[in-house]
Amino acid sequence: MTWLKEQVLHRWWRRYCNVRLNTVPAEAEGVLPAAMEHTSPAPTPYARLVRLSPVDTAPWEIVLTQDDILIGRRQDCDVIIPHASVSRAHVRMKWSKQGYVLFDLQSKTGTYVNGRRIGENLLKKGWVVRIGAAEFFVYEAYPHA
């Protein structure tokens, strides 16, 4: 996926799903640096969470492209889920050599992986993650070159 396509996709997700990942400063939007016009980065693997639960305020899909992602209800979170069951800063996801690790931030309603409450857990493809009342399925995906 080219840099420009990624930016368009992320702007669309940010607008419609309250997801703010890989944002571009307002003064730089729509401007592609000359050095990047004819080159595209090598494809890199990424994971994504796809919503299973009927919580309408949760995004349909969360694409994990950063090394450190904060999920919660607060406006300064990378992924915002404006639902009463989600804490202000509910969970943090960090990339490690083995994959993404999910850290519950002492939330009241908890974070669950495959129905088990966790404090810290490595995510695997096919697992189900519940953040408050919002439930997500873990997928791995690879961008097309």
Side-chain angles (χ1 to χ4, degrees), residues 27-105:
E27 63 271 11
E29 282 193 17
V31 178
L32 184 63
M36 298 179 85
E37 281 183 11
H38 301 292
T39 61
S40 62
T44 55
Y46 64 91
R48 58 194 172 106
L49 302 177
V50 177
R51 186 178 81 194
L52 294 174
S53 64
V55 176
D56 292 334
T57 56
W60 278 104
E61 183 177 56
I62 301 170
V63 179
L64 308 175
T65 56
Q66 292 181 332
D67 291 341
D68 189 5
I69 300 169
L70 178 63
I71 301 174
R73 225 177 45 224
R74 268 193 333 227
Q75 292 299 312
D76 64 336
C77 291
D78 297 310
V79 178
I80 301 169
I81 304 175
H83 191 268
S85 67
V86 178
S87 297
R88 289 182 206 102
H90 196 103
V91 69
R92 182 173 298 280
M93 299 179 78
K94 289 190 176 188
W95 176 254
S96 72
K97 290 180 183 177
Q98 295 84 21
Y100 277 96
V101 180
L102 198 63
F103 297 92
D104 183 68
L105 301 176

